[in-house]
Amino acid sequence: MANATGPFGLRPIGNVNGFPTSGGLVACRLGVALPDVCYIGDPVLYNTDKSDGDDPPTMPNIMLSAGTAGTIVLGAIVAFDANPDNLSLQYNTTLTNRIAYCAMGPDWIFEIRGDGSGTYNTAWVGANAAMVDAGGDTVTGLSGFQLDETTPAATQNMALHILGHSTKSDNEGATYSVWNV
């Protein structure tokens, strides 16, 4: 059976030191000046613009990472506080001040689906890769970020490091494989 093709962004599955992952999320502020729509699974980094956050700051301000070569990823959005104006909204609209809960830090392991643009290769394990954004899903609230399968290489300026092929039973070693990064 072929792999599913739908992107889901970065999904936390564990950490490199083997500790449980439950409860390790960081509450972060998506500022009202943020021009991006944000989805569950989107990669994030710290936003140095504190102008629309708390004063004094009580939590980190974040923004989306492009996930491309030369950018960094500090973690991923896992959930949002409820939007009191729209309780069913599963993503964050532009220019909306909202709290996002993120898996952040160097020890997290995430799953990400390949974008189908390259030929599956087990030699990618240990390589670095960039991401590509196919656009998030406004119904499910899931991210559109995928591993750019044309980029795995030893190049050090990539956003992700491929740790291995996901061992999920429905994940074949083929196009649109899910990878641990």
Side-chain angles (χ1 to χ4, degrees):
M1 187 165 110
N3 290 324
T5 60
F8 51 81
L10 293 168
R11 180 182 296 158
I13 60 165
N15 56 52
V16 294
N17 56 24
F19 294 134
T21 58
S22 61
L25 303 179
V26 178
C28 301
R29 179 171 309 285
L30 290 164
V32 72
L34 188 66
D36 300 309
V37 176
C38 300
Y39 298 91
I40 295 169
D42 277 353
V44 296
L45 56 100
Y46 293 123
N47 185 353
T48 57
D49 179 9
K50 310 273 191 294
S51 62
D52 59 351
D54 296 341
D55 191 21
T58 59
M59 63 184 66
N61 280 356
I62 59 168
M63 59 191 248
L64 292 185
S65 171
T68 55
T71 63
I72 59 172
V73 174
L74 295 178
I77 297 172
V78 176
F80 297 102
D81 263 357
N83 181 337
D85 298 326
N86 185 347
L87 295 175
S88 64
L89 191 64
Q90 298 297 312
Y91 62 98
N92 195 53
T93 57
T94 60
L95 308 175
T96 304
N97 194 2
R98 197 162 178 197
I99 305 300
Y101 296 93
C102 301
M104 293 178 74
D107 294 337
W108 283 95
I109 299 172
F110 297 92
E111 285 183 333
I112 188 168
R113 184 177 308 283
D115 69 349
S117 65
T119 303
Y120 172 85
N121 191 337
T122 56
W124 291 351
V125 175
N128 298 312
M131 289 183 277
V132 61
D133 186 5
D137 187 321
T138 58
V139 175
T140 64
L142 293 179
S143 173
F145 276 89
Q146 297 171 294
L147 186 138
D148 183 347
E149 293 180 344
T150 64
T151 62
T155 308
Q156 293 297 311
N157 72 337
M158 299 292 187
L160 302 176
H161 180 75
I162 301 172
L163 299 172
H165 188 253
S166 175
T167 58
K168 290 187 169 190
S169 60
D170 63 346
N171 187 37
E172 294 182 0
T175 305
Y176 297 105
S177 282
V178 176
W179 296 90
N180 294 341
V181 295

